[in-house]
Amino acid sequence: QAEPVRHARLVIHRLHLDDVEMPVRLATLVVVDRGAATVDWEVVAEGLADFTGELGRIRVEMLCITGANESGQLLLGELCGEAIVVRFVGATVVLRGDGPLHGLSDAVLEG
């Protein structure tokens, strides 16, 4: 029997690409864990200005909303990894994970 697929969709609060902050209007991280040694992950970010990078490999650092405590205060977690810029149009960029996603906890994965 195959292991269940676990996943998460997180809102990105702050995004850095190669150590440069990309101010975002809206950015999300989708993670899929199929039980393998690594997870598949993708970022879709709409910035406040046109994306000026290039296609290729880039270091991604994110501060994501990972949940809320009993008082309703948001919980934040830092995640980072290497990704590939797969496409961009105007202010929107899509990044596909190219290796491990450091900082990911099992607590945020559903499934």
Side-chain angles (χ1 to χ4, degrees):
Q1 178 174 330
E3 290 192 33
V5 174
R6 299 185 313 151
H7 64 279
R9 179 182 303 271
L10 304 175
V11 173
I12 299 170
H13 176 65
R14 192 170 329 147
L15 179 63
H16 285 82
L17 303 177
D18 281 343
D19 296 323
V20 175
E21 184 169 1
M22 177 184 172
V24 292
R25 182 179 327 270
L26 177 63
T28 58
L29 166 67
V30 175
V31 180
V32 177
D33 179 357
R34 293 182 175 85
T38 61
V39 297
D40 295 327
W41 57 279
E42 184 174 271
V43 171
V44 177
E46 179 187 349
L48 297 178
D50 282 357
F51 180 73
T52 58
E54 300 175 356
L55 297 178
R57 194 176 179 97
I58 196 165
R59 177 157 180 78
V60 181
E61 297 175 25
M62 301 164 276
L63 185 62
C64 297
I65 300 171
T66 58
N69 66 16
E70 300 81 25
S71 303
Q73 295 172 315
L74 296 179
L75 301 174
L76 301 175
E78 295 182 6
L79 295 98
C80 65
E82 298 289 323
I84 302 293
V85 178
V86 292
R87 65 184 170 278
F88 58 92
V89 176
T92 301
V93 60
V94 177
L95 311 161
R96 186 137 323 124
D98 188 34
L101 181 59
H102 303 285
L104 181 68
S105 73
D106 281 343
V108 302
L109 293 170
E110 301 173 3

